[in-house]
Amino acid sequence: MLDWITNTITALNYWGIALLMFLENIIPPIPSELIMPLAGFTVTQGKLTFWGVIVAGTTGSMLGALPWYYVSLKVGEHQLKKWVDRYGGWVTLTNEDIKKSQDWFKKYGGGVVLFGRLIPGIRTLISIPAGLQKMPFLEFFGYSLVGSLCWNLLLTYAGFVLGKNYKLVDKFLGPVTIVVLGGLVLLFIFWLVQRKKQRKRQ
């Protein structure tokens, strides 16, 4: 897997990063935790620019977030689960995955699309409940863009700082993700409180 990711980025540069991040959002086993840190390491070699990598990775992430959203929106839960029963193995997707992502969405609301983009294992699937719950496209797009941008910035910068040791990002990602996610949750709660106060004043 690592050799394939490395060869793709080496051969296609920004297009390769975008392609890999597109596929990562459709097929869960392709890990952004290796793609973006490797791209960050490539920046240290002078082959790519930091912000070029971020734009390419985020563009690929956003394009990859759309297919599951639109499929879920159009076909509905029953038909989607029938399809997953038959073909889900090809993309390592199960009905249990769909249920888990729906539970997250129902528990935390639309904001979970943003936070879900920062959680390995959930980030690829979070488009599905958004589509099933008919979340407005602009809201879905906005949350996905912010979440994907934050995630790609974190991974690329980590790879840039670690250099040749970029593979350590995958090892230490859990604790870092928890800290970042916790900070974003606090910001989201603060925003909700401020919004509630504004409504009371009105």
Side-chain angles (χ1 to χ4, degrees):
M1 176 71 77
L2 179 59
D3 288 341
W4 175 63
I5 291 172
T6 302
N7 292 336
T8 301
I9 293 177
T10 300
L12 301 176
N13 295 322
Y14 298 116
W15 291 104
I17 295 168
L19 173 63
L20 289 168
M21 291 302 288
F22 170 78
L23 293 174
E24 186 261 348
N25 276 268
I26 295 177
I27 307 172
I30 299 177
S32 59
E33 295 91 328
L34 287 177
I35 298 168
M36 297 309 294
L38 173 58
F41 167 57
T42 305
V43 172
T44 67
Q45 298 177 311
K47 297 178 181 179
L48 302 172
T49 67
F50 183 85
W51 289 108
V53 166
I54 297 299
V55 169
T58 304
T59 299
S61 295
M62 293 305 298
L63 291 175
L66 297 179
W68 284 123
Y69 171 78
Y70 274 114
V71 167
S72 303
L73 182 70
K74 297 298 182 183
V75 306
E77 183 175 353
H78 179 67
Q79 289 298 322
L80 179 62
K81 287 185 174 180
K82 282 181 62 177
W83 183 89
V84 168
D85 279 336
R86 183 172 297 181
Y87 303 110
W90 292 98
V91 291
T92 66
L93 180 66
T94 66
N95 282 318
E96 182 61 30
D97 293 329
I98 295 176
K99 182 181 182 302
K100 184 190 301 182
S101 62
Q102 282 183 294
D103 290 342
W104 271 70
F105 195 94
K106 290 173 182 176
K107 185 175 182 179
Y108 298 108
V112 77
V113 173
L114 188 157
F115 302 127
R117 296 289 172 199
L118 300 165
I119 304 174
I122 294 292
R123 61 189 316 274
T124 304
L125 305 171
I126 204 62
S127 297
I128 295 175
L132 292 177
Q133 299 298 321
K134 302 189 184 305
M135 185 179 192
F137 175 75
L138 289 179
E139 186 179 358
F140 168 77
F141 188 88
Y143 279 131
S144 296
L145 178 61
V146 173
S148 297
L149 181 59
C150 290
W151 180 249
N152 291 333
L153 275 168
L154 172 67
L155 295 182
T156 303
Y157 184 71
F160 179 79
V161 171
L162 290 171
K164 291 182 179 180
N165 296 313
Y166 68 90
K167 285 181 281 189
L168 292 175
V169 174
D170 194 26
K171 180 179 179 181
F172 294 108
L173 191 62
V176 174
T177 300
I178 291 172
V179 171
V180 173
L181 182 60
L184 287 172
V185 168
L186 289 175
L187 285 173
F188 185 64
I189 292 172
F190 176 77
W191 176 77
L192 287 176
V193 170
Q194 292 300 313
R195 188 177 179 185
K196 191 173 182 179
K197 287 181 179 178
Q198 287 179 353
R199 286 180 176 176
K200 285 183 177 179
R201 289 170 188 169
Q202 294 173 353

